[in-house]
Amino acid sequence: MSAIAATPRSLPTMRASQLPLYGRVLTSLLLILAALLALPAHAQNRNHIAAELIAEGPALPGETVTLAIRFTPEPGWHGYWSNPGDAGYGMELDWDLPEGWSAGEPQYPVPQRLLIAGLMNHVYEGEYAVLVPLSVPAGRAAGPIMPISLDAQWLACTDKICVPEGATLTLRLATAGTTIRDTRFDDWRSAIPALLADRAAFELAADTLRLAIPLPAPLGLQDPHVFVEQQQLVDYAAPQRFFRDGDTLVVEIPRKGIGTGPDAVEGILKIDGSGQGVRFLAAPGAVPTAGTPLAGAGAELAPLWLLLGGALLGGLLLNVMPCVFPILSLKALSLARAGESEAGARREGLAYTAGVMLATLAVGALLLVLRAGGNEIGWAFQLQEPGVVVFLLVLATAITANLAGVYDLPSLSITRTGGRSSAFATGLLAAFVATPCTGPFMAAAMGAALLLPWWQALLLFAVLGLGLALPFLLLGFVPAMRRLLPKPGKWMETFRRVLAVPMGLTALALLWLTARLAGVPFAVIAAVIAAFFTLLLVLAGRWRGAGRSTLAPLLLGTAALAGFAAVVLPRFADNRAEARESVLDPVPFSEAALAEARASGRPVFVWFTADWCVTCKVNESVAIERDATREAFEAAGVVAMRGDWTRRDAAITRFLTDHGAAGVPLYLWYPAGDEPQQLPQVLTPSTLVDLAQD
């Protein structure tokens, strides 16, 4: 039923007896030369991917017969899908058919992804078959056997080289009789993804292709991926994001390529790792903005109980993370007061825990609501807003003055008078300042929270708060732990004033962050507002000492300052980001820049940081911003790349989410030509040097 035929070109010949002697000698030399030249030519024409044209059965008049082009790559070689991806080219077919016969569009099985040096390719690494429907005209056939011919061209590649290949495939088709059907087509046809009956929809933004694919909710997805048929439309190597909205699967794919969009988008949705998939055809239309996030390509979520344990341990470890050091002063005074009475210690422990858990739940819920509304934000989004940082600056300035004894308002005091309200306020502040950082165990849990159903995500946020508050909760209910604390006394007053120093440094750090976020003029106005609010509290303390009411003047003055800030601060905001200097001279992060750096064949180090993340700053001083690291990187040719998340950046947020991280720091090492590895969130001085020298 099938055969491969290549028609070689032959040299013209004549009888040797008709040539003179010198002619016969010359002819012999030419024949020898032709034979020698034919040897390497024959070797070069050997295909690394063998091709064969096969028919499922006879070509009956008025019906359609299916042909298969079966490809068999040699070990280590691969062929390409119709859209080859970032490199390569698809198959080209030139049919020679009898009059009236026509070949339909080739039908491909689900391709595989092959990432080489940052370039994503859509390939087939084992034997595969492309099916082509062949329409036979009605009426009597010209004969019992009809020859057809196909000139096929394709690209065969390994991980290192590519070779254009081709062959002329011929087939003698029976047009009648009882030819037995080829049962191999059952397996080949099952590998072809079925076309969805319902149309999909797509929206094309400047940087994203969004698809709404009708897919029943009970159908599970494992390692999904969308292969887009149209070339130069999407970024093939970029992570894809998947959401469930009932029976609709929403897919977001970063764009890269042509500037104008097509009238339709078609492709293949790979459902699982076994090669199952469906084909879809999408027309322009509305795509849902909300939905339940699903794990992206290659991402698998841990069991919920393990994620809850990670959130608890992560919250517990936040008590000793560098980003929480500024508020340890508030906790220290709470620890000292916890020994005053058993009932009071329990009340304070519960109140502190309530404040912490309420803050983590509120921040987490707001995060989920904003993300469901289409905002590209992550954990710590509140510190990317200049207004929130100004509020913290005002609060830190007021607390510093309170710790220093400049004023005393029992109803507002956080550390001086104790009690449930004070402990509750301390818990709120502790969680609000501490949660933007991510530490060991916490990173995986918070990254999963962005992919889980909302109630499971809120449970993770609550357990994170419980872990953060756990030491103080235990102090309230375990007398043996309280007995280890020093007895309350006059030393507490002196200690309270000493603790004004780290809190004052926190206020200065917030002032610096305000300048980084919105510019120096903005920070100056914010400092004036903080100073006037503190002055207002000082006056309120004196009014109270004189027996006068403080509530009404305090509320009126606060409202006036808030109105002034709302009107004046936006006028001075400068949204232009200012790049920070680095000894590594890093490239600003973008997915395109990362793909280009990986394609260069050099190792790549990418770090994601933010000016408000103390852990990031410690790691930079310890391991990144060092001459030893710079020298090791220069010797190994490492490309350094930095993603600054101080301000809101949708591209960085998407990248963090796709890598299972809800916040910073995140450190990735891309060895030359190998898979990336995620580094620990706490770096040592030798971490990067050792990687560069390996």
Side-chain angles (χ1 to χ4, degrees):
M1 292 293 297
S2 64
I4 302 176
T7 305
R9 296 181 179 179
S10 59
L11 295 174
T13 60
M14 63 183 347
R15 294 181 60 182
S17 60
Q18 297 176 328
L19 295 174
L21 178 61
Y22 73 89
R24 292 198 297 271
V25 173
L26 180 59
T27 301
S28 300
L29 292 175
L30 290 175
L31 290 174
I32 294 173
L33 180 61
L36 292 174
L37 292 175
L39 290 176
H42 181 270
Q44 291 175 0
N45 287 335
R46 182 179 64 84
N47 288 330
H48 296 284
I49 301 181
E52 184 179 6
L53 186 61
I54 305 171
E56 184 174 11
L60 301 180
E63 297 185 6
T64 299
V65 62
T66 301
L67 306 182
I69 310 172
R70 184 179 70 172
F71 292 98
T72 307
E74 293 179 351
W77 291 80
H78 58 259
Y80 287 89
W81 186 47
S82 57
N83 180 353
D86 285 321
Y89 59 79
M91 179 176 59
E92 297 180 1
L93 304 178
D94 184 12
W95 293 92
D96 185 6
L97 302 173
E99 184 178 356
W101 294 41
S102 62
E105 289 296 324
Q107 301 173 7
Y108 290 81
V110 179
Q112 302 162 327
R113 287 171 289 163
L114 179 62
L115 186 65
I116 301 177
L119 300 177
M120 179 64 73
N121 304 284
H122 306 149
V123 304
Y124 302 101
E125 294 186 318
E127 179 184 315
Y128 65 100
V130 177
L131 302 187
V132 181
L134 185 65
S135 298
V136 182
R140 183 177 178 84
I145 299 295
M146 296 297 293
I148 65 173
S149 176
L150 169 63
D151 185 12
Q153 305 292 328
W154 62 86
L155 187 68
C157 293
T158 68
D159 291 349
K160 300 184 182 301
I161 63 171
C162 287
V163 179
E165 296 184 347
T168 300
L169 310 179
T170 60
L171 178 63
R172 294 172 60 82
L173 268 174
T175 59
T178 57
T179 305
I180 299 176
R181 175 180 173 274
D182 195 327
T183 58
R184 292 177 294 178
F185 277 78
D186 294 335
D187 292 334
W188 293 338
R189 186 171 282 109
S190 66
I192 304 299
L195 178 64
L196 292 173
D198 297 329
R199 285 288 183 98
F202 78 91
E203 290 179 348
L204 206 59
D207 58 353
T208 307
L209 168 66
R210 303 185 70 249
L211 295 165
I213 303 175
L215 204 66
L219 181 62
L221 297 174
Q222 299 176 359
D223 190 22
H225 187 82
V226 170
F227 297 92
V228 178
E229 178 76 25
Q230 283 72 19
Q231 298 189 24
Q232 295 296 315
L233 181 62
V234 299
D235 188 346
Y236 305 116
Q240 301 178 355
R241 303 178 64 191
F242 297 85
F243 305 84
R244 264 290 183 194
D245 185 16
D247 289 332
T248 299
L249 180 69
V250 178
V251 188
E252 295 182 352
I253 309 175
R255 287 199 57 192
K256 179 182 179 181
I258 61 177
T260 58
D263 296 330
V265 173
E266 53 186 313
I268 295 177
L269 167 64
K270 184 175 74 70
I271 294 176
D272 56 32
S274 64
Q276 298 297 314
V278 293
R279 287 187 295 146
F280 64 88
L281 180 61
V287 177
T289 57
T292 302
L294 304 179
E300 294 184 1
L301 297 181
L304 181 60
W305 66 267
L306 189 60
L307 294 173
L308 292 174
L312 183 68
L313 288 175
L316 185 63
L317 289 176
L318 277 179
N319 287 278
V320 296
M321 291 294 288
C323 52
V324 189
F325 287 168
I327 60 168
L328 288 181
S329 58
L330 302 178
K331 296 183 179 183
L333 290 181
S334 297
L335 284 169
R337 285 199 317 273
E340 294 177 358
S341 71
E342 184 172 344
R346 290 181 177 179
R347 285 195 299 269
E348 288 205 22
L350 289 173
Y352 177 83
T353 302
V356 171
M357 294 184 68
L358 178 62
T360 54
L361 276 172
V363 172
L366 182 59
L367 170 64
L368 295 178
V369 169
L370 293 176
R371 285 181 65 89
N375 291 278
E376 295 285 357
I377 58 174
W379 193 242
F381 69 96
Q382 65 271 29
L383 290 185
Q384 295 173 324
E385 298 294 334
V388 175
V389 179
V390 170
F391 170 77
L392 289 175
L393 171 63
V394 172
L395 186 60
T397 304
I399 293 174
T400 301
N402 181 256
L403 288 171
V406 177
Y407 70 92
D408 182 18
L409 288 175
S411 59
L412 297 177
S413 177
I414 292 179
T415 61
R416 185 181 177 92
T417 60
R420 285 174 292 184
S421 61
S422 175
F424 181 79
T426 304
L428 286 174
L429 181 63
F432 194 73
V433 175
T435 51
C437 284
T438 56
F441 303 104
M442 177 184 165
M446 293 301 98
L450 304 182
L451 302 174
L452 290 171
W454 66 269
W455 66 271
Q456 295 182 4
L458 289 180
L459 184 59
L460 281 176
F461 294 134
V463 172
L464 172 69
L466 178 61
L468 180 59
L470 191 58
F472 293 89
L473 187 62
L474 292 176
L475 279 170
F477 285 85
V478 181
M481 293 182 64
R482 293 198 305 274
R483 284 194 290 269
L484 298 176
L485 299 174
K487 298 295 182 181
K490 293 183 178 180
W491 67 270
M492 292 180 60
E493 190 67 22
T494 302
F495 187 52
R496 183 175 69 90
R497 286 180 165 78
V498 171
L499 291 178
V501 176
M503 186 52 63
L505 294 176
T506 301
L508 291 176
L510 289 169
L511 182 62
W512 173 80
L513 178 58
T514 305
R516 289 286 303 164
L517 285 171
V520 174
F522 184 94
V524 171
I525 300 299
V528 171
I529 293 172
F532 269 95
F533 181 73
T534 303
L535 178 60
L536 182 61
L537 293 177
V538 172
L539 294 176
R542 293 184 179 179
W543 292 334
R544 177 181 174 274
R548 299 168 58 186
S549 173
T550 61
L551 182 59
L554 190 57
L555 291 177
L556 183 61
T558 302
L561 279 176
F564 175 80
V567 173
V568 175
L569 281 177
R571 299 176 181 271
F572 289 88
D574 184 359
N575 296 323
R576 293 173 297 178
E578 181 181 349
R580 289 180 288 108
E581 294 183 358
S582 170
V583 298
L584 299 183
D585 192 21
V587 177
F589 168 81
S590 70
E591 293 189 358
L594 177 58
E596 181 180 353
R598 297 191 65 188
S600 69
R602 300 163 59 188
V604 183
F605 170 63
V606 186
W607 83 95
F608 295 89
T609 182
D611 288 340
W612 36 260
C613 176
V614 180
T615 306
C616 304
K617 296 304 175 186
V618 172
N619 281 330
E620 288 170 12
S621 63
V622 169
I624 299 176
E625 302 293 348
R626 300 175 63 242
D627 290 336
T629 303
R630 175 181 55 79
E631 293 170 0
F633 277 21
E634 289 177 351
V638 178
V639 178
M641 187 172 296
R642 178 175 60 193
D644 192 341
W645 207 43
T646 302
R647 303 177 186 226
R648 186 181 300 182
D649 189 305
I652 292 179
T653 304
R654 284 196 301 268
F655 191 88
L656 292 173
T657 302
D658 292 328
H659 284 75
V664 291
L666 175 66
Y667 305 108
L668 297 172
W669 176 262
Y670 294 85
D674 204 349
E675 293 299 315
Q677 62 183 94
Q678 185 168 326
L679 305 181
Q681 289 191 316
V682 178
L683 303 178
T684 65
S686 62
T687 299
L688 299 178
V689 175
D690 292 342
L691 286 171
Q693 293 176 348
D694 286 345

